[in-house]
Amino acid sequence: MISNGEHREVAWPIEGMTCPVCQGRVEQALAGVDGIVDSSVSLLSSRATVVFDPTATSEAVITSAIEDAGYGVGSSAPTASHTHDHADGDHHHEQASSASLWRDSEAMRTYIACLFFFGGLTLQLTWNIEWINVGWWSLGPSAVSFLAAAVVGGANFFGSGFKALTRLRMDMDFLMAAAVMGAIVIGEYTEAAAIAFLFSLAELLESYAVTRARRSLSELVRLAPETARLKTAEGDHTVAVEVVNIGDICSVKPGEKIPLDGTVSQGSSSVSEALITGESMPADKNVGDRVFAGSLNEDGYLELSVTAVSSDTTLAKIVKLVESAEQHKSETEQFVRRFSRYYTPIVTVLAVSVMVLPSLVFGASFLVWFVRGLTLLVIACPCALVISTPVSTISAITSAARNGVLIKGGAALEALADVKVVALDKTGTLTKGELSLSDVVPLNGMSADESLEIAALLESRSEHPIARAVIQEAQLRQIELSEDRIEQFTSLPGRGVKAVIGGVEYLLGRPELFDGATVPSPVNDLQASGKTVVLLGTEGGVTAAFSVSDTIKDHAREAVRHLKLVGVEQVVMLTGDNEATAHSIADASGVDVVLAGLLPEQKVEQVKALERSVGAVAMVGDGVNDAPALATARVGVAMGAAGSDAAIETADISLLTDDLRHLAYAIELARAGRRVIRQNVWASIGVKGLLALGVFPGVVNLITAILAGDMGASLGVTTNALRLAKITPHAADDH
Ligand code: ADP
Ligand code: MG
């Protein structure tokens, strides 16, 4: 997003950022550069995104600031959505980083340190002699092996530890380097080797854990096809998807992926859209149907007319949304960040006093207490705590995206977990929304075809499902529609439409529009049978009645049951339709409460009232005429959002299919996410607290602190978070 003509937004991949502390350092480095308008650093996608004023600073200044903080900067990419190489560049970077993790120089040093460390232990048992012995220093074969382990393993962090020292900053690298040197000085070679080896191993495993969380995201990107077969006058050409334009024709053979969003222009096939919508059943696609990039063409040959360039496809939007989800921080996450800001300096002061006070005041052994103080500092690193929340949020959001549910960030996820009431719009949410005109009742002498013609003309400018039904019927009866006859069209949201045709002003819509006029008797009968009745008329009176019928979705009843199973207290149906029609749909679907006859502004009032009386409301709608109610509710959920950019962008949650059961899944996932976050926060605080207490009596030594407090805690919270990926929409079926 380029905010305006003067500011530029650029994203860089950052190398070597493995811990939230690193993330904080990059953030700090960026804060120190003048001319940066806005910046965000993502640990999980290893990226810094910066909006800056090019007249005040430059890319080079920004990258050197990041490099000065001790991190590598990859080649930049402008983030404007029409720039294609962005997602692609990233994707190569991701692949490279996860593949080389176990083979880079730091990993090699860790392996060698491991060999020397265990070699030393073996020598201690088998060839335990001393060559030299001066005071507390003695040198033998095992000591030499331990020293080698300390030097090789230490090489991983000595450099950056020294760099930190020159900037008067206490970081893990510096502390560990100091601990290794300290141990060598007092002749504890075994300790020195163990710390150097274990700390290197801890770092390696930690970056593996972060890479694993990152991987599910990059897998989504990788699923997008890279090439398309473009049809040209000279035949088919395989080209990169980035060069295909809107309106181009691409061909797709059986077993191939659909390269870009488009409409089928030739052929028919069944297409699996699991990647986009989470729907495992393939859908039949014929000429005129929409297809999405990344879906799989199963058995037929298709040609499609492209409707979106590669950076604008629904899949690209999903990936972008999931990537940026990390930036919409939840309240818990903000709290954890604030907490660690005060916590770290306090613990540092405490640790330094533990190092010096006992020997100064009580004359205790300086060496013993110095090592205990160091141990406290290792435990103090808030890595596990700070990483616990984002890693859980990302894990939940990515897993939801793979099941056809888009969750816009940690805040939306947290709100979803709180939902007490689900308010459902009727048309298109509980019903299929594929309305058909079932009855035309002419009144006052106008013929059926004549009234249908006027009604279809009035509806020709409306987006409402009723409009579609009316026009469809007029076409079926081969009624000519000359749209130039229509003047002064006005849409009356939630009520109907109004326009002047042939000099006469007509109204079409809900019966209340004709207040005062006597409602003709067939209307009541039609409504009682579950149909929606709309009236056509003028100032003078009603001229015709139309009834449209809709069918309830196959899974509506099951979906409502699932919502109750995952703990939703009340399921409410909100509709602008009349009581009788509303009740017949409500009975069939099993909702608790029906609120009918509502105008759009009354839907907003009802959402507010539910929020006051019961609790947080999730409002589900198609987003076309329910936008105000969706925006009012704590959580706005858009249904069937694939292909509707507006819905995806405005809703907190988007269900990409029309399957309402996915909402219960999303709520279950959000609740599980909240549990995991709480477990992670308390477990990491608890483990560190216990370890810290154990330092004073000497129960917890430096090695235990590295193993349990640093490596163990970080791996523990990450693994716990990855459990969220196991929740699927089908799990609810087992209840
Ligand atoms: P819902 O709550 O079912 O989505 P709406 O709020 O969209 O219903 O509309 C409420 C009522 O207003 C409809 O049942 C219908 O009677 C009338 N209405 C709204 N728009 C139109 C239209 N374009 N043509 C005819 N009737 C309409
Ligand atoms: Mg509606």
Side-chain angles (χ1 to χ4, degrees), residues 450-473:
E450 201 182 341
S451 49
L452 193 59
E453 182 188 352
I454 293 173
L457 279 174
L458 281 164
E459 296 287 29
S460 60
R461 308 241 172 116
S462 169
E463 297 272 277
H464 203 272
I466 293 180
R468 254 181 281 142
V470 171
I471 293 168
Q472 207 173 28
E473 180 66 21

Side-chain angles (χ1 to χ4, degrees), residues 303-366:
E303 281 180 13
L304 55 105
S305 166
V306 173
T307 54
V309 296
S310 72
S311 57
D312 250 358
T313 61
T314 301
L315 180 63
K317 291 210 168 92
I318 294 174
V319 170
K320 221 174 169 164
L321 212 134
V322 174
E323 277 185 340
S324 64
E326 205 182 329
Q327 282 147 34
H328 302 268
K329 297 212 187 323
S330 65
E331 272 168 44
T332 319
E333 208 168 325
Q334 285 164 0
F335 166 75
V336 167
R337 292 196 137 218
R338 274 198 303 274
F339 175 81
S340 49
R341 208 167 294 152
Y342 296 104
Y343 161 90
T344 311
I346 291 174
V347 178
T348 309
V349 170
L350 202 86
V352 172
S353 0
V354 168
M355 283 182 189
V356 294
L357 287 185
S359 54
L360 279 183
V361 182
F362 307 108
S365 153
F366 176 75

Side-chain angles (χ1 to χ4, degrees), residues 264-563:
V264 177
S265 58
Q266 205 178 315
S268 67
S269 177
S270 66
V271 173
S272 164
E273 296 184 325
L275 177 65
I276 313 292
T277 62
E279 174 60 60
S280 47
M281 284 284 289
D284 285 331
K285 297 287 179 183
N286 298 304
V287 172
D289 288 342
R290 286 203 63 157
V291 287
F292 299 108
S295 40
L296 183 71
N297 176 23
E298 301 213 318
D299 48 20
Y301 170 85
L302 288 177
E303 281 180 13
L304 55 105
S305 166
V306 173
T307 54
V309 296
S310 72
S311 57
D312 250 358
T313 61
T314 301
L315 180 63
K317 291 210 168 92
I318 294 174
V319 170
K320 221 174 169 164
L321 212 134
V322 174
E323 277 185 340
S324 64
E326 205 182 329
Q327 282 147 34
H328 302 268
K329 297 212 187 323
S330 65
E331 272 168 44
T332 319
E333 208 168 325
Q334 285 164 0
F335 166 75
V336 167
R337 292 196 137 218
R338 274 198 303 274
F339 175 81
S340 49
R341 208 167 294 152
Y342 296 104
Y343 161 90
T344 311
I346 291 174
V347 178
T348 309
V349 170
L350 202 86
V352 172
S353 0
V354 168
M355 283 182 189
V356 294
L357 287 185
S359 54
L360 279 183
V361 182
F362 307 108
S365 153
F366 176 75
L367 279 179
V368 167
W369 284 96
F370 185 79
V371 173
R372 287 183 187 174
L374 266 183
T375 313
L376 267 186
L377 274 180
V378 172
I379 296 169
C381 171
C383 272
L385 179 62
V386 180
I387 203 173
S388 61
T389 315
V391 114
S392 313
T393 309
I394 285 298
S395 173
I397 290 177
T398 320
S399 127
R402 316 187 103 224
N403 287 298
V405 178
L406 284 186
I407 300 174
K408 209 171 282 167
L413 187 74
E414 214 161 60
L416 191 63
D418 284 335
V419 162
K420 299 266 184 318
V421 186
V422 170
L424 303 166
D425 176 49
K426 178 178 71 80
T427 317
T429 302
L430 278 169
T431 67
K432 289 184 179 159
E434 294 155 5
L435 278 60
S436 61
L437 193 69
S438 49
D439 305 85
V440 181
V441 186
L443 304 157
N444 289 349
M446 197 185 250
S447 80
D449 277 7
E450 201 182 341
S451 49
L452 193 59
E453 182 188 352
I454 293 173
L457 279 174
L458 281 164
E459 296 287 29
S460 60
R461 308 241 172 116
S462 169
E463 297 272 277
H464 203 272
I466 293 180
R468 254 181 281 142
V470 171
I471 293 168
Q472 207 173 28
E473 180 66 21
Q475 283 167 348
L476 221 64
R477 299 195 188 190
Q478 297 181 327
I479 294 172
E480 281 286 328
L481 300 179
S482 43
E483 284 189 34
D484 45 338
R485 284 176 62 199
I486 179 164
E487 292 164 299
Q488 296 174 31
F489 171 85
T490 319
S491 161
L492 313 166
R495 293 180 180 84
V497 288
K498 187 169 87 171
V500 175
I501 295 169
V504 185
E505 188 181 73
Y506 284 98
L507 281 166
L508 174 67
R510 56 202 282 168
E512 291 90 332
L513 276 177
F514 300 90
D515 245 3
T518 42
V519 173
S521 66
V523 170
N524 294 326
D525 301 341
L526 290 167
Q527 285 181 341
S529 65
K531 289 172 181 166
T532 301
V533 177
V534 291
L535 301 180
L536 172 70
T538 59
E539 285 280 307
V542 180
T543 52
F546 303 90
S547 77
V548 288
S549 58
D550 196 357
T551 39
I552 186 164
K553 279 186 190 166
D554 298 336
H555 299 300
R557 202 179 175 85
E558 201 184 338
V560 172
R561 196 172 58 87
H562 283 184
L563 285 173

Side-chain angles (χ1 to χ4, degrees), residues 425 427 464 603 622 625-626:
D425 176 49
T427 317
H464 203 272
K603 288 186 183 173
D622 50 19
N625 55 2
D626 307 312

